[in-house]
Amino acid sequence: MQQIVRRFEVTTSDGLTLRGEAFGDHTERGLPVVCLPGLARTSRDFHQLAERLSTDPEHPRLVLTLNSRGRGPSDYVKDPRNYDVMTEARDVIDTLAAAGLPEAAFIGTSRGGLLMLAIAAMRPTLIAAAIFNDIGPVIDAMGIARIKTYLTRSEPVRTWDDAVEFVKTANAHHFTTLSERDWERVAQMTFRDENGLPVGDFDPYIIKALEGVDVSETTINLWPQFLALSHCPTLVLRGDLSDILPLSVAREMTRRHPDCELVEIKGHGHAPLMIFDEVNDPIAAFLARVDAKRTADAPKASPEWLPKGEIVYLDDVARQVERNKAQLEATLSGQPI
């Protein structure tokens, strides 16, 4: 199947322009997918998955990969206080409205999952299926501390070799099976290329907000918001080396939710990388099951619902039209008009 990719822009309620990519087409019957990246991540994290989902020979679908405000090519804000989960969640709601999508499957990595939980509180019916990539209603404080240290680094990254070394040093203990080529791909997903050099691809003010956060006092408990998704099928992906989503929390998500499954990704930490089949296979399979269930549950009009004597078939209608026409011609024959 030929790959269709288009860039799109959406204007937010406060006048910013958000940018992303649309893979596939509205006309596909599969449930559309919206991909939401992590705190300082961009839509590049989802490109390989989006290509696969949009060109699946049996379940092709539209996939939107969105860059939140201050990330990638999307506009930066003037007031850093507008980098907050509720504002960014409203941006996503506006994006779906602009795209003409009454509902979609959502894939949220890290902060993207928190945006999903905020949307669940505001507009739960927008979410027809939910995929949480290494994030849940409760977050491990130690993982937040590591991310804070990682993102507030002081060492400059001047070359692509520096970029590869940086992502490898920061993440090697959390991703134990990556090759040198894999680390190069991670670096390319983390930094943008500007005249052949790597450049951080997010507004530094996003990270400044973390500098004053005491992670020892940071408590995130969003169980009510998670349970607002009880109406839709849910998949939880967890890296088995994750320091953000405790295994106990992931298992509790499957216990509390009536239709939730957990898949652990071996050798991955926070968050599983969607450049590998072991991550993308369960996502594609889950979405295919969602499509099948929606088709099975859809109302089907059938003439068998009617009493037999009330059923009118199209060929009977055609014959009756001809009889009526002949009767009319016979009645009018020889009559002055």
Side-chain angles (χ1 to χ4, degrees):
M1 181 178 294
Q2 185 178 3
Q3 178 68 65
I4 301 173
V5 184
R6 299 177 301 279
R7 300 187 187 280
F8 67 84
E9 294 185 350
V10 177
T11 302
T12 67
S13 57
D14 55 351
L16 298 180
T17 298
L18 306 184
R19 298 174 175 86
E21 299 81 30
F23 294 73
D25 196 86
H26 273 280
T27 60
E28 303 297 356
R29 290 182 295 176
L31 180 66
V33 172
V34 177
C35 300
L36 305 176
L39 176 63
R41 307 296 302 181
T42 70
S43 63
R44 289 192 297 275
D45 288 355
F46 296 101
H47 284 183
Q48 187 160 322
L49 172 65
E51 289 174 356
R52 172 173 174 173
L53 295 178
S54 63
T55 59
D56 186 300
E58 296 184 9
H59 300 275
R61 65 188 75 243
L62 173 69
V63 182
L64 301 183
T65 59
L66 180 65
N67 293 288
S68 295
R69 52 178 61 205
R71 286 81 161 182
S74 292
D75 286 355
Y76 292 9
V77 305
K78 294 181 179 179
D79 184 350
R81 290 175 296 181
N82 289 329
Y83 289 129
D84 69 277
V85 168
M86 296 304 292
T87 299
E88 292 172 20
R90 284 191 288 269
D91 289 345
V92 178
I93 293 172
D94 291 344
T95 298
L96 264 72
L101 298 178
E103 61 178 357
F106 282 73
I107 303 175
T109 295
S110 196
R111 184 182 178 92
L114 300 183
L115 298 187
M116 288 165 52
L117 293 173
I119 294 167
M122 293 187 284
R123 292 281 301 279
T125 56
L126 281 180
I127 305 179
I131 300 173
F132 290 88
N133 186 24
D134 211 65
I135 192 69
V138 179
I139 300 175
D140 193 310
M142 293 301 295
I144 297 176
R146 182 181 65 83
I147 290 176
K148 177 182 175 181
T149 301
Y150 168 70
L151 292 177
T152 55
R153 68 189 187 278
S154 57
E155 305 85 357
V157 173
R158 295 190 175 91
T159 69
W160 280 107
D161 286 341
D162 289 345
V164 172
E165 189 59 32
F166 170 75
V167 296
K168 187 190 300 186
T169 300
N171 297 288
H173 293 299
H174 303 273
F175 294 89
T176 58
T177 61
L178 272 60
S179 67
E180 191 65 22
R181 174 54 186 148
D182 293 333
W183 287 117
E184 291 174 3
R185 295 167 72 187
V186 172
Q188 291 161 3
M189 291 159 57
T190 303
F191 298 89
R192 75 172 183 269
D193 186 285
E194 196 169 283
N195 299 319
L197 298 177
V199 177
D201 211 6
F202 58 88
D203 186 349
Y205 274 113
I206 294 171
I207 308 309
K208 279 194 172 296
L210 290 177
E211 292 178 353
V213 174
D214 182 353
V215 295
S216 66
E217 298 179 358
T218 299
T219 301
I220 296 178
N221 188 325
L222 299 173
W223 284 113
Q225 290 77 12
F226 175 72
L227 294 177
L229 294 173
S230 295
H231 68 281
C232 71
T234 298
L235 172 66
V236 178
L237 297 176
R238 178 183 182 273
D240 71 335
L241 302 177
S242 175
D243 59 352
I244 288 289
L245 178 60
L247 180 57
S248 59
V249 174
R251 287 175 173 167
E252 185 68 7
M253 293 168 76
T254 65
R255 190 188 72 81
R256 295 195 189 193
H257 191 290
D259 187 7
C260 180
E261 54 189 286
L262 168 64
V263 174
E264 283 206 275
I265 310 299
K266 302 298 182 184
H268 284 239
H270 182 78
L273 299 167
M274 295 177 184
I275 57 175
F276 296 106
D277 288 342
E278 60 264 32
V279 179
N280 295 342
D281 284 349
I283 294 174
F286 170 77
L287 291 171
R289 291 194 296 274
V290 170
D291 284 344
K293 187 175 187 302
R294 287 165 60 87
T295 300
D297 291 346
K300 297 179 178 62
S302 170
E304 294 178 359
W305 290 0
L306 301 173
K308 196 166 185 179
E310 296 181 18
I311 298 175
V312 179
Y313 294 96
L314 290 178
D315 55 345
D316 291 339
V317 173
R319 283 194 292 268
Q320 186 61 48
V321 169
E322 289 301 318
R323 284 196 293 270
N324 292 344
K325 181 181 177 183
Q327 187 178 40
L328 181 62
E329 288 175 347
T331 301
L332 295 178
S333 178
Q335 299 295 322
I337 301 293

